[in-house]
Amino acid sequence: MNKPACSRPAIQLLRTAHALESRLEEGLAPLGLSVAKFGVLANLAAAGEPLPLRALAERAACVRSNITQLIDRLEADRLVLRAPDPVDRRSIRAELTEEGRARYEKGLEALQQAESAVFAHMAPRDVESLVAMLESLRNAG
């Protein structure tokens, strides 16, 4: 007898990922951020310098038009600035503003709190095992 579709591991993983994303979105919402916006801020903060939109799209694993829309919203929120690339006049770079850096730091705290709440019922060793299993799945190719 076949298992019902809802018990398939991949479906359960997707449902869990969606529920987790919703919890993280709820944690970031009071800061005017989404997971996608936070991801751009995180990439810029990690780079420590302005990045071409093309590089941001690669780091975020999304198409350039999505990054352009995210940068539009972040710029409207005064969290990033667009600047011409001094090396390539055809390219535009995005850089964090002071407010963007501050909001990123607050977003980190909000995500840590949301993550703690999600995993509070699990033993630390179980969380470590889960992370290892997820990494194994991601690297399986």
Side-chain angles (χ1 to χ4, degrees), residues 84-92:
D85 189 327
V87 177
D88 182 356
R89 294 183 312 165
R90 298 168 295 165
S91 181
I92 299 293

Side-chain angles (χ1 to χ4, degrees), residues 83-136:
D85 189 327
V87 177
D88 182 356
R89 294 183 312 165
R90 298 168 295 165
S91 181
I92 299 293
R93 298 185 321 169
E95 63 181 287
L96 281 176
T97 62
E98 288 301 316
E99 176 61 23
R101 186 166 306 285
R103 193 88 57 92
Y104 163 71
E105 295 294 333
K106 289 177 183 174
L108 267 179
E109 292 173 17
L111 288 180
Q112 287 170 342
Q113 289 175 357
E115 185 177 293
S116 293
V118 166
F119 295 109
H121 73 284
M122 294 177 70
R125 65 177 157 55
D126 291 340
V127 174
E128 289 174 18
S129 294
L130 175 62
V131 170
M133 287 186 282
L134 292 171
E135 286 174 356
S136 175

